[in-house]
Amino acid sequence: RVLVHKVAALLLMEDIKPVQFLMLTFSRPAAIEFRQRLHALVGSIAFNIDIFTYHGFAFQLSGRLGDLEKAQHILPQVTEAIRKKELPLEQLRCKAVIVVDEFQDVSDEEYDFLSTIIETAEEPRVIAVGDDDQNIYEFRGANLQHMRNFVLEQNAKVYYLSENYRSKANLLAFSNQYLKQFIRGERLKKEIDLVAVQKDHGRLGIIHYDSPYLIEG
């Protein structure tokens, strides 16, 4: 919602052209939902905006059709081709706004690809949304350090969205205490409590598992 409404505002209030946008997400269903929500706000111009997964955009830039086997190597191949100017770069150079969803799930290859796009686009406005408390894809290479480094490398302005619309008040209270006592490291929101919009309480239960397949956080 945050990203879609921001893009709509830029289209309607700052006269940025659809071709100047690039939206990157992690799944085709998410890309489809972005376009549907954007279409509901701004109409048919939503179909002129590049909304892709990382791999989908890499295949599009390379002019190749993608499949599961090729997808394993497409990001580093296209990243290198962009750097060596082996691909037509007009589609990247015109990008004035780059929008990134689920930034906490970005892997090394995806961050390298994204950084190369940003460099080629010549100082675009980058709008990234992520939550370092929701990093659950380390098994596929997601690295939270990219999210933290981006703030420093790009001198980014950070906005904290601390209001939680999904969970009950007692779960948020429990979560705030848990995060302070047990989650160490470099949380971006380490000094900020999550605020429950729902004021009523739900039922909480703690379940203990004993399994050799668990990954300890």
Side-chain angles (χ1 to χ4, degrees):
R1 181 183 178 87
V2 170
L3 291 179
V4 171
H5 279 255
K6 181 63 176 177
V7 171
L10 292 174
L11 279 166
L12 299 176
M13 300 174 66
E14 296 195 22
D15 197 32
I16 299 176
K17 304 297 185 290
V19 70
Q20 293 178 288
F21 284 90
L22 170 63
M23 299 182 72
L24 291 174
T25 186
F26 280 88
S27 69
R28 289 181 183 177
I32 292 170
E33 184 179 354
F34 269 122
R35 197 178 301 280
Q36 290 173 339
R37 289 191 180 204
L38 196 56
H39 180 265
L41 292 175
V42 301
S44 60
I45 59 173
F47 297 112
N48 298 323
I49 294 177
D50 282 340
I51 305 177
F52 287 97
T53 65
Y54 287 83
H55 292 81
F57 190 54
F59 278 117
Q60 204 262 2
L61 288 173
S62 69
R64 295 157 55 189
L65 294 176
D67 58 39
L68 191 58
E69 184 176 347
K70 294 176 183 177
Q72 297 177 7
H73 309 289
I74 189 65
L75 287 180
Q77 289 174 354
V78 172
T79 299
E80 188 66 17
I82 293 171
R83 287 175 176 161
K84 292 182 177 180
K85 299 184 168 124
E86 297 174 348
L87 297 174
L89 300 180
E90 291 76 12
Q91 185 177 356
L92 295 180
R93 288 182 175 140
C94 75
K95 299 304 180 187
V97 179
I98 298 173
V99 181
V100 183
D101 186 32
E102 304 288 2
F103 201 12
Q104 76 277 358
D105 295 331
V106 169
S107 67
D108 293 349
E109 288 185 353
E110 289 158 348
Y111 189 74
D112 202 23
F113 180 59
L114 174 62
S115 298
T116 303
I117 291 173
I118 293 171
E119 292 168 7
T120 306
E122 301 175 359
E123 299 186 2
R125 187 185 315 189
V126 181
I127 304 168
V129 170
D131 183 356
D132 57 348
D133 290 335
Q134 296 190 49
N135 174 234
I136 59 174
Y137 288 106
E138 286 185 315
F139 66 88
R140 59 169 289 279
N143 189 341
L144 277 176
Q145 199 58 45
H146 296 315
M147 186 176 177
R148 296 162 183 151
N149 289 346
F150 182 84
V151 176
L152 301 175
E153 293 171 3
Q154 302 294 330
N155 193 26
K157 188 169 184 178
V158 180
Y159 298 88
Y160 295 106
L161 305 180
S162 59
E163 286 186 319
N164 182 297
Y165 291 83
R166 178 181 297 172
S167 304
K168 301 294 184 180
N170 55 339
L171 177 57
L172 266 294
F174 175 84
S175 298
N176 285 327
Q177 290 300 316
Y178 180 85
L179 290 168
K180 289 176 183 177
Q181 293 182 36
F182 298 105
I183 302 299
R184 299 174 176 84
E186 303 175 5
R187 286 185 66 240
L188 293 177
K189 305 185 299 301
K190 59 185 176 182
E191 303 299 330
I192 298 175
D193 281 346
L194 306 175
V195 179
V197 172
Q198 298 185 49
K199 301 306 179 185
D200 56 325
H201 288 186
R203 179 179 178 273
L204 297 184
I206 299 176
I207 301 173
H208 296 273
Y209 286 97
D210 184 12
S211 169
Y213 301 107
L214 291 177
I215 298 176
E216 188 171 327

